[in-house]
Amino acid sequence: MGDTTVTTLEGREAAVPHPVTDKAGQSLLHRLRTPRRPRLWFEILLIAVSYWTYSLIRNAVPEQKAEALHNADWLWKLEHHLGIAVEETINHAVNSVTWLIVGMNYYYATLHFIVTLGVLVWLYRSHPGRYAATRLVLFATTGVALIGYYLYPLAPPRLMTGGGFIDTVLVHDTWGSMASGDLKNMSNQYAAMPSMHIGWSVWSGLTIFALTRTPWARVLGLLYPTATLVVIVATANHFWLDAVGGLMCLAFGYTVARLWYGALPHALPRRVAQARTHPHPPTAERGRAGGCPPAAAGVEEQHLLRDGNRPTEEGHPSARPRPTTHA
């Protein structure tokens, strides 16, 4: 609408401008909470720095061996009480099939990173509008897991004293595990709770299932975390309850994204519209800026046409003789 007018003492109308809303304070927050097209160089740098920070903090947590073994014994007793303590049976059964357990060892060491990065690349290319929110879920999930590593040191089943579990990486001398063999000193041995193999695999599976329309891809999205659960138990790297901890961290990650963006990632637009810059405001905006709303502008145009003041080819209204009045 146009400027408000008030009548002064002299009978003249003075324009009183509407108060201008200062959006400087909220514009930055609004931009941060609005999905934008990701920038490749920034995402590569962010992921690299984030994983380096995650590894640094995870490995900086003091290896509290005595407490970690005590917690593992307590958790193992709790699973017996719940009737779900079958990890040792699965570990021994799968270990008896050499090709299967060797494949699981490599699965555990590699797919955790390959699939997660692959889903991020797919999101970047095919769902840029949902990329930032889905990435936030992953980052928040991983961040809260670091708190769990610090507050609740836990030994994996393969390191339990007298537990009877088989360290399948040591037995079959397979490559790639940061938790056994020559590489064990490079990773915190007692950061088993929560399981980020489960947190990341369920994140990947749910993302694929929610965003793709290809039936076989959706099936794979559901099978991947299921297979991961079997692998972490068969290789004696985690208890069932470690997986529950991973799911709780993932639920926290989705909650953070929901609160920040106002919707879950799959409910956001697939693509982000590119902003267009206009050297001059559109007709409707010019009408608002000049104090005449679009509807009023249309009425004014109709009056001009009805009065016969149609524009000529040069864009000026045609001349119309004024009626002559006789005294």
Side-chain angles (χ1 to χ4, degrees):
M1 296 296 292
D3 294 335
T4 305
T5 59
V6 295
T7 304
T8 64
L9 294 177
E10 291 79 6
R12 298 178 181 177
E13 291 184 343
V16 179
H18 286 290
V20 179
T21 304
D22 184 11
K23 297 182 180 179
Q26 62 179 358
S27 60
L28 177 59
L29 180 62
H30 177 73
R31 288 198 300 268
L32 291 175
R33 298 181 67 179
T34 301
R36 295 178 297 170
R37 184 170 184 82
R39 292 165 291 181
L40 181 60
W41 67 269
F42 177 78
E43 294 303 325
I44 294 176
L45 180 63
L46 180 63
I47 292 172
V49 171
S50 299
Y51 183 73
W52 176 80
T53 304
Y54 163 75
S55 300
L56 183 67
I57 296 175
R58 183 178 187 271
N59 296 333
V61 175
E63 292 192 355
Q64 305 173 58
K65 182 177 180 179
E67 185 177 356
L69 291 173
H70 172 75
N71 289 337
D73 290 336
W74 181 87
L75 199 66
W76 187 229
K77 292 177 182 177
L78 176 61
E79 290 197 351
H80 275 90
H81 179 72
L82 296 175
I84 59 174
V86 295
E87 290 94 329
E88 184 179 349
T89 301
I90 296 175
N91 173 237
H92 283 262
V94 178
N95 185 70
S96 63
V97 184
T98 302
W99 65 268
L100 181 58
I101 194 59
V102 168
M104 287 188 174
N105 285 341
Y106 288 126
Y107 180 113
Y108 184 87
T110 59
L111 290 190
H112 179 52
F113 306 102
I114 294 174
V115 174
T116 304
L117 289 175
V119 172
L120 283 171
V121 172
W122 172 65
L123 283 170
Y124 178 87
R125 292 174 57 89
S126 301
H127 297 266
R130 297 160 177 160
Y131 175 89
T134 314
R135 185 241 291 144
L136 178 59
V137 174
L138 182 65
F139 279 27
T141 299
T142 306
V144 75
L146 292 174
I147 301 176
Y149 298 148
Y150 185 85
L151 297 178
Y152 193 77
L154 181 70
R158 57 186 173 76
L159 292 182
M160 289 179 63
T161 54
F165 288 92
I166 300 171
D167 190 333
T168 58
V169 171
L170 287 179
V171 170
H172 298 280
D173 194 24
T174 53
W175 167 88
S177 175
M178 297 291 289
S180 297
D182 296 334
L183 299 176
K184 64 182 179 181
N185 294 326
M186 298 176 61
S187 178
N188 187 349
Q189 294 286 285
Y190 304 108
M193 170 67 83
S195 170
M196 279 299 93
H197 273 74
I198 290 300
W200 289 11
S201 65
V202 175
W203 173 86
S204 300
L206 288 179
T207 300
I208 294 172
F209 182 82
L211 299 184
T212 188
R213 292 295 175 263
T214 307
W216 63 265
R218 302 187 78 189
V219 172
L220 287 179
L222 296 179
L223 289 179
Y224 172 58
T226 304
T228 301
L229 178 62
V230 175
V231 167
I232 66 173
V233 171
T235 56
N237 279 292
H238 289 284
F239 296 100
W240 294 124
L241 293 180
D242 297 346
V244 175
L247 292 176
M248 293 175 64
C249 291
L250 183 63
F252 172 82
Y254 275 109
T255 301
V256 170
R258 173 67 176 82
L259 293 175
W260 184 256
Y261 288 100
L264 291 175
H266 71 274
L268 295 172
R270 178 174 181 175
R271 300 190 180 277
V272 180
Q274 298 292 335
R276 296 182 178 180
T277 58
H278 297 278
H280 301 288
T283 303
E285 297 298 329
R286 290 202 301 270
R288 293 190 182 96
C292 180
V299 172
E300 181 180 354
E301 183 179 357
Q302 291 177 8
H303 281 300
L304 289 174
L305 294 178
R306 187 168 60 245
D307 293 341
N309 293 333
R310 299 179 181 273
T312 61
E313 293 182 358
E314 289 79 8
H316 301 286
S318 59
R320 180 179 179 181
R322 295 182 177 180
T324 305
T325 58
H326 300 280

